[in-house]
Amino acid sequence: MPVLKSRSTVALLMVAMAGWRSVAAQTTPTERTAAGAVLKTIDSLQGALAPTGLGNRLVAARDAERDKLLARTGAIWDSEMQGLSDWIGRNPEVGWKEFRAVDTLVKVLRRNGFTVDTGSAGLPTAFVARWESPAGSGGPVLGLIADYAALRGTSGAFHGDQHNAQSPVAIAAAVAVKEEMTSRKLPGAIVIYGTPAEEIGPPAKVIMRTAGIFKGTSILVRSHSTAQTARSRAGFGICCLDINEVKYTFTGRPSHQLSSWNGRNALEAAVHFYMSVDGLRSTFRPEASIQGVIPEGGVAPNVVPDRAVADYYIRYPDGIYLEHISTMMDNAAKAAALATGTEVKIDHYGEYRDGISLGTLEETFFAYAKSLGATRVEPEQQRPAGYEETGGVSLDVPGVGVTVASSTFSNHTQGMLDDAFTTVGHTAFRADAQIMSAILYHYLTDAAFRDAVGREHAALRGLYDQYQTNLRKAYASEMEGAVP
Amino acid sequence: MPVLKSRSTVALLMVAMAGWRSVAAQTTPTERTAAGAVLKTIDSLQGALAPTGLGNRLVAARDAERDKLLARTGAIWDSEMQGLSDWIGRNPEVGWKEFRAVDTLVKVLRRNGFTVDTGSAGLPTAFVARWESPAGSGGPVLGLIADYAALRGTSGAFHGDQHNAQSPVAIAAAVAVKEEMTSRKLPGAIVIYGTPAEEIGPPAKVIMRTAGIFKGTSILVRSHSTAQTARSRAGFGICCLDINEVKYTFTGRPSHQLSSWNGRNALEAAVHFYMSVDGLRSTFRPEASIQGVIPEGGVAPNVVPDRAVADYYIRYPDGIYLEHISTMMDNAAKAAALATGTEVKIDHYGEYRDGISLGTLEETFFAYAKSLGATRVEPEQQRPAGYEETGGVSLDVPGVGVTVASSTFSNHTQGMLDDAFTTVGHTAFRADAQIMSAILYHYLTDAAFRDAVGREHAALRGLYDQYQTNLRKAYASEMEGAVP
Amino acid sequence: MPVLKSRSTVALLMVAMAGWRSVAAQTTPTERTAAGAVLKTIDSLQGALAPTGLGNRLVAARDAERDKLLARTGAIWDSEMQGLSDWIGRNPEVGWKEFRAVDTLVKVLRRNGFTVDTGSAGLPTAFVARWESPAGSGGPVLGLIADYAALRGTSGAFHGDQHNAQSPVAIAAAVAVKEEMTSRKLPGAIVIYGTPAEEIGPPAKVIMRTAGIFKGTSILVRSHSTAQTARSRAGFGICCLDINEVKYTFTGRPSHQLSSWNGRNALEAAVHFYMSVDGLRSTFRPEASIQGVIPEGGVAPNVVPDRAVADYYIRYPDGIYLEHISTMMDNAAKAAALATGTEVKIDHYGEYRDGISLGTLEETFFAYAKSLGATRVEPEQQRPAGYEETGGVSLDVPGVGVTVASSTFSNHTQGMLDDAFTTVGHTAFRADAQIMSAILYHYLTDAAFRDAVGREHAALRGLYDQYQTNLRKAYASEMEGAVP
Amino acid sequence: MPVLKSRSTVALLMVAMAGWRSVAAQTTPTERTAAGAVLKTIDSLQGALAPTGLGNRLVAARDAERDKLLARTGAIWDSEMQGLSDWIGRNPEVGWKEFRAVDTLVKVLRRNGFTVDTGSAGLPTAFVARWESPAGSGGPVLGLIADYAALRGTSGAFHGDQHNAQSPVAIAAAVAVKEEMTSRKLPGAIVIYGTPAEEIGPPAKVIMRTAGIFKGTSILVRSHSTAQTARSRAGFGICCLDINEVKYTFTGRPSHQLSSWNGRNALEAAVHFYMSVDGLRSTFRPEASIQGVIPEGGVAPNVVPDRAVADYYIRYPDGIYLEHISTMMDNAAKAAALATGTEVKIDHYGEYRDGISLGTLEETFFAYAKSLGATRVEPEQQRPAGYEETGGVSLDVPGVGVTVASSTFSNHTQGMLDDAFTTVGHTAFRADAQIMSAILYHYLTDAAFRDAVGREHAALRGLYDQYQTNLRKAYASEMEGAVP
């Protein structure tokens, strides 16, 4: 046959272009091949851990201490934190500018006995609030993540993603657990991580992770708004695609238009780079998603521009091939500078990668959510993804994102913001806090649970590395130089 | 969440980017949605027709006439056609240049009582060979497709796709059926379509179809080499992607380099068009595959080029969105002319579209193949596809491609060519001829079978049109103008 | 000979690429050809008018009234206007923002008996100050141009082009002439035009001209800083090149990066337009100077940009071929929109064209300048150019720019600003004011002079139109469509 | 003033954009500045040599030997060479394919006692024919250049530049001088250089020069068709612009369209390079002329092209800035390879540079031409240019191109070809041969003349080097890297 392939090779081609099954994180044939044995090992691991049963058993078990703790968490929410959530919701501040929210939260935390460091990792609106048990530091370090950045809307900042609730939820859980540890003389510590700018790059959590802020944490819990109560399948992935955020700054030499030959045109370089990226699209696998802007492209038309900036989001289902794309794009940027006699500075300012989901924690959260009356429950497991948006922190510390349906509207909408102030949101936030209390409680007091969580995370972390190695092998020939 | 989407929307996104299941022809979510009811109707139709049972029954039935016909077909192959197949195999000619093959085939057909017209549809190496039954023209017109073009290899023409065998196979079947019709005084006609240049564009079968060459044919059979004995599932599709082949010729105004401002640069236009296509890639769905060359880009650097040509293959899983891509690319070509003060001529010189597979014919072929000892049998049904590579003819005439495994090497290889001269190929070609005889025999003599084939084709043709209408609706908003 | 041309054709080629003589405004062979007879007619006209002799005679003539007027002008400068010049120099405001300068000037003018309208032609910092002679409106309307915009420097606004002095100079002259008209009961009027934003587009004077602001003015005088006391040759031209300032705004359709195919990318359009312009450079004559920026090229990389802006300065020695360039660039912009499925709005926001220099006024200014002790006198006549930077006003109203060397530094420098506050600048500004007084005085009182000025302007205006017609003919074949 | 410059800087700007005077070879202000003292030294040199007087004296002098020689040259032309010229004119062969012409010329030369080497410098249709005087090798080596390549016309090869005559003219002169040397026992040698492909690149004479073919030659004479009898001014230059001819070959990795990501697209690289060159145009001085084609831009649209070629002619008035352009373009080519993951091979296959014109030889030729009745005499000296089209040979060896008007049509026309067969051409060719004889005669026998020629060439060669050094200094800042 002609421009086509014969029928007997159709099957192969189909596979070559096929997509992913909805629950697996491996979306391309290369990734599925690379993941092959790894996925089977995850399945075995889950078979051995039987996390669904585990979660259900924990919830069903009679445990008066636990019940008291959940009641206390609820009471803290009702008495103080719900108001704080509403206040933040009505005083939205965009990322890197959450000064009033942070001031208020720091005050509340200090009043509740936490020692608070602000400006963590050099970020003005980050903080770390720590409480050490008087019973000693021999126990686990229980971490809670607290976001507070609002969205940038067309008419200003607004909390359409309900980040207003996350810190009050975390504080309700933390304070209740603190009281529990104090009264029962349980050793350990509680740390609340105030993480700014969740909505915009560069990703604060990656900066804080790189600065070592999360080191020593035993477990991390977090809550997030959602329109559906659902849990992830165990494994690794990210909600959508891994991302590199990269800024390319070209510097030339200015000159008046009438002697343009004395200049070196930085905009010309940026434009050529932009075209080069378009030219590379068919040299990249079709699952790549690459989008750029030129936020600085010169000001005055009568002067040869000596500065221009291109800013790109580069996405691919896995981080290895993403590296390959990034390398070729960096080469294209260097080429644009070389071609125009300019210079380029390449700033990889943000990075989102596959994170780890633990069956033990996901199923425990899910069982509690159902028992606490969560609405809009999705029975199907979702695609694995780290409990925070960058993926990276979840590779280091086992954890879970608690997501009880808190709105009938989808994320990033005015509807979701409105629900934050009504029973729809309030009830869900209260449940989030109770579930977080429960998970930390089990982790703190149930050695078998703690052990299962630890083993699962270590195993998945090992498999994750193995998967990356497999991917690197699978892409090796494609990532090679031009001519074999 | 930030640059990402929330977990509750993951499922939707996954679907949005998912590929196809291996046997369906619908590869994108849009296509699957558009096909929804259509696919169910196809399933019902197949349920009612039960073609697998039909095929098995036909093969298993005792039928001395049929057995005699198959024996005679085999004898014709053995005595004469195998030698002819080898001769063509050893005298390869590339598409549009198959003069010796056609001369030889015409002689053989005339000797066998066929009336042959050459140069059909204005194509020098096409022919139509016709035999009318002395019993009258009241019966069906049995068609057979005969290819003979060789591949263009790096060291010249070679029959790495075994097109050498197709015409001898068709003649063996046709002559045996002719004898059968003569001796049994069955009315009807036999037509062999000599179709050139199967490997290169523009597609000969589309030209012949447009010229009305296939009109009046009741059924078409054809054989093709393969490394696997497999049949298609009923429905519509194409092996890989639908294709538009388009040539864009830019015309400018020449001028000496030292007065370039008096010229209009056609190469500049072609280059801008090429860049524009790259720039559109992210405006097209990722399943699109677009690749171009600039076969004429100017000759002498001291003259402003007044002629330049870009040649593109544009592919997409369905023909409707492909039209959308084609329209935007035509606009980009017109834009390149406008931007450079040149003119553009756009020649849509080739087109491949979804064709129709019939369960009745596919399963009959498959049952015979197994009964005749075909090797490398694939139990799974394959993706639906027309029996010829352009798809179009199969929309008009019911038919089937007979593909008994004829090599242990894949298509377009030296290994497949070598197998054409040994028992591996010879045995398979003989079986192809016998299966084609059998299918034509049943169609000629079995009114119920003939009726089932006709009804299935009519139904699928109707569903095909409905599917195209659905697709057009589904893409409507995307295909609209720029600003809503 | 080969890629080259033979020696006998060298001469032609040389002409084809030759530049301009330093004093003529016609810089290309085409322009010189078009100007041929026109230039000769200008020469005849100048021969008849003998303006150098005229200027020298006027200066040399004994005229006590004139001497008194000049003394009074100097006194007004010394007593008040020098201080005002310094004050504006120390309170620089960039174009369109000269609010304090205008407030102050308006107060001074009103105090001196002028009726002032502000916000002229819809420009917030433009004004028109008018004084009607009590002797009646039968006499000429004497106009003075007053600029006040500062430069945009790297560390803020600064008066590196000494526009601080222009308004005080004009007021000194205007007030002295007003007193003269009053005391001698001369009919007529004096109008000072406050013209903002001299340094940036869109050109205020073109907007004011289009609004009819200058209608009815008999003569216009103006001063400008310079490092050399020089006058223009009679004729038409512009200091450097004619200019079109054009903004191209592309509008598309936004979409999230992950469904980019639902969007239409406006940045893609802007980038393609930018590349198209580069691609046209060799299709334009080499004297063209085209420079662009992309001040808006998208903001967020995760959304398909639905708005992008390119801003260009397009320059050519004459306005006719400039139109041709502009038309081809507009086509390229429309093409970029067509190619990308976006829309484009083209805004021709600024225009600078050849203006008219009058020998009668230039030589009179020059003779007075020398007699008043101007320094750095350049004996050679300079290229003809309108007395204001847009050229257009000078086509309607006869006038002259008075430029006594006011700095030892070149324009647009800190050195020139420093000189504005010392004797170097002060002395020159004083002389500028006196020369303006003198010219207005002669125009007002000397009918022969007035008549000569009027006839010269009318003749040159006619020749200017004829020259434009000739140019249009000369370029006709080049400006035609693509294919002959 | 605003976007413009002030009047006092106009003069400078004008100079910056001005062209050249018609007789000087320095066309840009930079070049004129660089040439400043050099041009004055040339003028002094010419003043001292007084070549016009010298030429006139030589012609006017009584010299029976010279008269006999010219008569003999004419006789050889009439009896044999005119017929040979016509024969070559009627058997045109394009560059590199002049096999029949060379065969014939070699036979004629051998018959006339020359030793002929063919295939010189590895060029199949080049030759060197040598004759050593029996009187010994102590004398000068007299060189004659013989071209024979025809033009490529739209309907095949044709001698529209009259290269058919050049070899017969040279042979007529050479044989006559040989007889003179023999009979007068003058020591020395005569060498005829058969130089192919004058019309197309790469330049044969540069290849032969590099191979050392011209070493040891004392003087070179040559003839060329023309429509005007004119001589060059002394100095250095080239008819139009210096040229670099460069081919950029990009190599990628092929892959089927449906797996384009396994390929590296060489056409993409060529297209990006092409766009980069357009993007550099405003970074080069406006006198640059750069024009390219893409003669190889891929063949089959279904395969990622792994080879693409761009071919450019790069021209600038001087060789130093031309180097700068070439370097930036080479960088752009390397950048295009880097950006696309391909490789590039850069082949600088042709080079034309300023050559040296000698007043002594030019004026002698001119005086003889007039005395021999040359028509269409141009009294003005023309722009200096080497006597052969590449410039390079004239830097090493003093020489002159003899150009008596041989047609009433311009070069590269059918009219000029027609004139080659009539009295118009025949008479001029005969005169060319006689003038060449005369020049070689004086050089051979007149020590003062030989000395003047040698001194002038040495002086100009030194000044040429000095000029190049000056240019390099003048351009130094522009040729620097991006950021100061």
Side-chain angles (χ1 to χ4, degrees), chain C residues 102 106 110 116-121 123-124 126-128:
Chain C
V102 168
V106 166
R110 287 189 174 139
V116 189
D117 276 340
T118 56
S120 314
L123 307 176
F127 65 82
V128 177

PDB file of all heavy atoms in Angstrom, chain C residues 102 106 110 116-121 123-124 126-128:
ATOM      1  N   VAL C 102       2.073  74.043  31.152  1.00  0.00           N
ATOM      2  CA  VAL C 102       0.956  74.685  30.462  1.00  0.00           C
ATOM      3  C   VAL C 102       0.211  75.631  31.408  1.00  0.00           C
ATOM      4  O   VAL C 102      -0.114  76.779  31.043  1.00  0.00           O
ATOM      5  CB  VAL C 102       0.017  73.630  29.838  1.00  0.00           C
ATOM      6  CG1 VAL C 102      -1.292  74.260  29.377  1.00  0.00           C
ATOM      7  CG2 VAL C 102       0.719  72.936  28.670  1.00  0.00           C
ATOM      8  N   VAL C 106      -0.100  79.516  30.514  1.00  0.00           N
ATOM      9  CA  VAL C 106      -1.423  80.097  30.317  1.00  0.00           C
ATOM     10  C   VAL C 106      -1.598  81.319  31.223  1.00  0.00           C
ATOM     11  O   VAL C 106      -2.099  82.372  30.800  1.00  0.00           O
ATOM     12  CB  VAL C 106      -2.518  79.033  30.571  1.00  0.00           C
ATOM     13  CG1 VAL C 106      -3.885  79.692  30.699  1.00  0.00           C
ATOM     14  CG2 VAL C 106      -2.513  77.993  29.445  1.00  0.00           C
ATOM     15  N   ARG C 110      -2.260  85.041  29.841  1.00  0.00           N
ATOM     16  CA  ARG C 110      -3.483  85.798  30.218  1.00  0.00           C
ATOM     17  C   ARG C 110      -3.094  87.121  30.858  1.00  0.00           C
ATOM     18  O   ARG C 110      -3.696  88.169  30.578  1.00  0.00           O
ATOM     19  CB  ARG C 110      -4.352  84.959  31.150  1.00  0.00           C
ATOM     20  CG  ARG C 110      -5.041  83.817  30.385  1.00  0.00           C
ATOM     21  CD  ARG C 110      -6.094  83.082  31.202  1.00  0.00           C
ATOM     22  NE  ARG C 110      -6.803  82.111  30.356  1.00  0.00           N
ATOM     23  CZ  ARG C 110      -7.148  80.881  30.727  1.00  0.00           C
ATOM     24  NH1 ARG C 110      -6.869  80.437  31.955  1.00  0.00           N
ATOM     25  NH2 ARG C 110      -7.779  80.090  29.898  1.00  0.00           N
ATOM     26  N   VAL C 116      -6.881  82.728  26.141  1.00  0.00           N
ATOM     27  CA  VAL C 116      -6.288  81.392  25.948  1.00  0.00           C
ATOM     28  C   VAL C 116      -7.355  80.302  25.998  1.00  0.00           C
ATOM     29  O   VAL C 116      -8.142  80.243  26.942  1.00  0.00           O
ATOM     30  CB  VAL C 116      -5.219  81.101  27.017  1.00  0.00           C
ATOM     31  CG1 VAL C 116      -4.465  79.823  26.654  1.00  0.00           C
ATOM     32  CG2 VAL C 116      -4.253  82.283  27.170  1.00  0.00           C
ATOM     33  N   ASP C 117      -7.361  79.484  24.943  1.00  0.00           N
ATOM     34  CA  ASP C 117      -8.182  78.265  24.953  1.00  0.00           C
ATOM     35  C   ASP C 117      -7.261  77.085  25.236  1.00  0.00           C
ATOM     36  O   ASP C 117      -6.236  76.951  24.574  1.00  0.00           O
ATOM     37  CB  ASP C 117      -8.810  78.038  23.566  1.00  0.00           C
ATOM     38  CG  ASP C 117     -10.084  78.845  23.400  1.00  0.00           C
ATOM     39  OD1 ASP C 117     -10.665  79.241  24.427  1.00  0.00           O
ATOM     40  OD2 ASP C 117     -10.472  79.071  22.240  1.00  0.00           O
ATOM     41  N   THR C 118      -7.657  76.223  26.159  1.00  0.00           N
ATOM     42  CA  THR C 118      -6.816  75.044  26.418  1.00  0.00           C
ATOM     43  C   THR C 118      -7.530  73.795  25.907  1.00  0.00           C
ATOM     44  O   THR C 118      -8.695  73.832  25.537  1.00  0.00           O
ATOM     45  CB  THR C 118      -6.515  74.896  27.920  1.00  0.00           C
ATOM     46  OG1 THR C 118      -7.780  74.841  28.589  1.00  0.00           O
ATOM     47  CG2 THR C 118      -5.718  76.061  28.446  1.00  0.00           C
ATOM     48  N   GLY C 119      -6.799  72.722  25.905  1.00  0.00           N
ATOM     49  CA  GLY C 119      -7.376  71.457  25.425  1.00  0.00           C
ATOM     50  C   GLY C 119      -7.707  71.496  23.943  1.00  0.00           C
ATOM     51  O   GLY C 119      -8.601  70.773  23.477  1.00  0.00           O
ATOM     52  N   SER C 120      -6.984  72.297  23.185  1.00  0.00           N
ATOM     53  CA  SER C 120      -7.260  72.456  21.750  1.00  0.00           C
ATOM     54  C   SER C 120      -7.140  71.126  21.021  1.00  0.00           C
ATOM     55  O   SER C 120      -6.268  70.310  21.327  1.00  0.00           O
ATOM     56  CB  SER C 120      -6.253  73.449  21.142  1.00  0.00           C
ATOM     57  OG  SER C 120      -6.126  74.586  21.967  1.00  0.00           O
ATOM     58  N   ALA C 121      -8.017  70.935  20.032  1.00  0.00           N
ATOM     59  CA  ALA C 121      -8.019  69.724  19.200  1.00  0.00           C
ATOM     60  C   ALA C 121      -8.142  68.462  20.040  1.00  0.00           C
ATOM     61  O   ALA C 121      -7.668  67.394  19.653  1.00  0.00           O
ATOM     62  CB  ALA C 121      -6.763  69.660  18.315  1.00  0.00           C
ATOM     63  N   LEU C 123      -6.575  67.822  22.743  1.00  0.00           N
ATOM     64  CA  LEU C 123      -5.317  67.464  23.417  1.00  0.00           C
ATOM     65  C   LEU C 123      -5.217  68.218  24.731  1.00  0.00           C
ATOM     66  O   LEU C 123      -5.135  69.453  24.735  1.00  0.00           O
ATOM     67  CB  LEU C 123      -4.133  67.812  22.506  1.00  0.00           C
ATOM     68  CG  LEU C 123      -4.198  67.246  21.090  1.00  0.00           C
ATOM     69  CD1 LEU C 123      -3.018  67.748  20.252  1.00  0.00           C
ATOM     70  CD2 LEU C 123      -4.226  65.722  21.128  1.00  0.00           C
ATOM     71  N   PRO C 124      -5.223  67.542  25.857  1.00  0.00           N
ATOM     72  CA  PRO C 124      -5.295  68.200  27.167  1.00  0.00           C
ATOM     73  C   PRO C 124      -4.205  69.240  27.395  1.00  0.00           C
ATOM     74  O   PRO C 124      -4.443  70.242  28.059  1.00  0.00           O
ATOM     75  CB  PRO C 124      -5.165  67.043  28.168  1.00  0.00           C
ATOM     76  CG  PRO C 124      -5.601  65.826  27.401  1.00  0.00           C
ATOM     77  CD  PRO C 124      -5.237  66.082  25.980  1.00  0.00           C
ATOM     78  N   ALA C 126      -2.553  70.981  24.998  1.00  0.00           N
ATOM     79  CA  ALA C 126      -2.393  71.947  23.901  1.00  0.00           C
ATOM     80  C   ALA C 126      -3.145  73.224  24.280  1.00  0.00           C
ATOM     81  O   ALA C 126      -4.063  73.195  25.094  1.00  0.00           O
ATOM     82  CB  ALA C 126      -2.950  71.373  22.602  1.00  0.00           C
ATOM     83  N   PHE C 127      -2.711  74.350  23.705  1.00  0.00           N
ATOM     84  CA  PHE C 127      -3.499  75.575  23.916  1.00  0.00           C
ATOM     85  C   PHE C 127      -3.341  76.521  22.720  1.00  0.00           C
ATOM     86  O   PHE C 127      -2.419  76.343  21.900  1.00  0.00           O
ATOM     87  CB  PHE C 127      -3.114  76.279  25.224  1.00  0.00           C
ATOM     88  CG  PHE C 127      -1.713  76.824  25.266  1.00  0.00           C
ATOM     89  CD1 PHE C 127      -1.398  78.071  24.691  1.00  0.00           C
ATOM     90  CD2 PHE C 127      -0.703  76.121  25.912  1.00  0.00           C
ATOM     91  CE1 PHE C 127      -0.109  78.573  24.747  1.00  0.00           C
ATOM     92  CE2 PHE C 127       0.599  76.626  25.966  1.00  0.00           C
ATOM     93  CZ  PHE C 127       0.900  77.853  25.390  1.00  0.00           C
ATOM     94  N   VAL C 128      -4.253  77.461  22.624  1.00  0.00           N
ATOM     95  CA  VAL C 128      -4.153  78.528  21.616  1.00  0.00           C
ATOM     96  C   VAL C 128      -4.395  79.861  22.330  1.00  0.00           C
ATOM     97  O   VAL C 128      -5.451  80.070  22.927  1.00  0.00           O
ATOM     98  CB  VAL C 128      -5.189  78.339  20.486  1.00  0.00           C
ATOM     99  CG1 VAL C 128      -5.093  79.510  19.504  1.00  0.00           C
ATOM    100  CG2 VAL C 128      -4.980  77.021  19.764  1.00  0.00           C
TER     101      VAL C 128
END
